[in-house]
Amino acid sequence: MAAAKILVVDDDPAVRNLIQRFLIRQNYQVEAAEDGKAALVLFEQFNPDLVILDVNLPDAIGFNLCQEMQSRNGVFVLMLTSRTDESDKIRGFSKGADDYLTKPFGLGELEVRVAAILRRQRVVTTPEQKRLIFEKLIIDPVRREVSFNNQPVPLTALEFDLLHFLASHPGRVWRRSELIQEVWDYEYVGDQRVVDVHIGQIRKKIEIDAGQPALIQTVRGVGYKFECPTQPQQEVKS
């Protein structure tokens, strides 16, 4: 299996070089950029599996760059920041970031986060190749596409993973900690409101009334469940 490709974007040469050298030793293919303009050029040429992206760049806002990159191919994004403000993390996740590291961080922690994100890019096995069809909502795990009322729904990579997981277990109630373990694929250390942010973003895109959600319901004091008036139909892709 080919080594995963990672693009590192940070204007601090010490941080950029440290991350690049460390990831190369972990047998990843790594390219690095010092600003947003160079990052977008490399992004097109290198076609990375994961972008490690600093929030503060000299010519771009990392949040916006994250959104721009994900709009092109749904790439996974790990945000880096020196800020500890919780609102920055919430903003990053709402823009599509898959994970967040606050500087300073240990290389061991970086290694765990990178490996966890890339594990989600697993090969789709035959049982997973079934489209989930809930009346007007269709979830296609092969193409990683969602449509509602015959209109494509633009989801970030993590939003898709979360929706597909919930929809694959209709009626079951999941605690936030369980969703983090299942979808993020590791013990997330931080504010579990990250789940609420992603659920809120998904609701805006697939619910007729996001204020009165019918598909992804909140179970007060516990977590969330996916509900649909009819049982899902499953259709195997040819």
Side-chain angles (χ1 to χ4, degrees), residues 178-220:
E178 291 176 321
L179 289 172
I180 285 171
Q181 181 66 54
E182 294 287 345
V183 177
W184 277 251
D185 201 22
Y186 66 98
E187 295 290 349
Y188 179 79
V189 179
D191 193 336
Q192 293 186 0
R193 283 184 303 165
V194 60
V195 176
D196 303 336
V197 174
H198 285 294
I199 294 289
Q201 292 296 113
I202 296 169
R203 281 173 169 167
K204 290 177 185 176
K205 298 173 181 179
I206 67 169
E207 298 281 4
I208 295 171
D209 180 0
Q212 297 289 328
L215 294 169
I216 301 179
Q217 298 182 5
T218 301
V219 180
R220 193 171 299 279

Side-chain angles (χ1 to χ4, degrees), residues 8-24:
V8 180
V9 186
D10 197 304
D11 64 334
D12 184 331
V15 173
R16 189 172 66 248
N17 294 334
L18 177 67
I19 294 174
Q20 185 173 19
R21 287 199 304 270
F22 176 74
L23 293 174
I24 287 173

Side-chain angles (χ1 to χ4, degrees), residues 138-173:
I138 300 175
I139 304 171
D140 186 334
V142 176
R143 294 188 172 89
R144 293 181 65 83
E145 293 175 350
V146 174
S147 63
F148 187 74
N149 271 343
N150 295 318
Q151 296 296 316
V153 178
L155 295 179
T156 68
L158 193 51
E159 287 168 2
F160 179 90
D161 291 341
L162 183 55
L163 175 60
H164 182 254
F165 180 78
L166 286 168
S168 297
H169 305 85
R172 172 165 175 178
V173 180

Side-chain angles (χ1 to χ4, degrees), residues 5-78:
K5 297 191 290 186
I6 301 175
L7 174 60
V8 180
V9 186
D10 197 304
D11 64 334
D12 184 331
V15 173
R16 189 172 66 248
N17 294 334
L18 177 67
I19 294 174
Q20 185 173 19
R21 287 199 304 270
F22 176 74
L23 293 174
I24 287 173
R25 287 203 304 271
Q26 308 301 314
N27 297 317
Y28 294 113
Q29 298 180 59
V30 187
E31 293 285 351
E34 63 183 0
D35 57 30
K37 183 178 179 181
L40 285 174
V41 171
L42 270 174
F43 182 78
E44 293 295 338
Q45 296 172 349
F46 187 48
N47 191 26
D49 301 297
L50 168 67
V51 179
I52 298 176
L53 178 61
D54 188 34
V55 169
N56 295 307
L57 296 170
D59 63 342
I61 298 171
F63 299 126
N64 297 341
L65 203 57
C66 169
Q67 200 169 33
E68 165 72 12
M69 289 175 170
Q70 287 207 325
S71 71
R72 300 190 185 195
N73 68 2
V75 68
F76 291 110
V77 177
L78 170 62

Side-chain angles (χ1 to χ4, degrees), residues 107-137:
L107 291 175
E109 183 179 11
L110 175 68
E111 181 181 8
V112 168
R113 299 289 180 98
V114 166
I117 292 172
L118 291 172
R119 269 201 304 272
R120 296 216 312 272
Q121 214 171 16
R122 63 194 184 282
V123 176
V124 178
T125 57
T126 303
E128 293 174 310
Q129 291 180 343
K130 297 173 180 176
R131 291 199 305 175
L132 297 178
I133 304 172
F134 301 89
E135 293 187 340
K136 299 175 182 178
L137 177 68

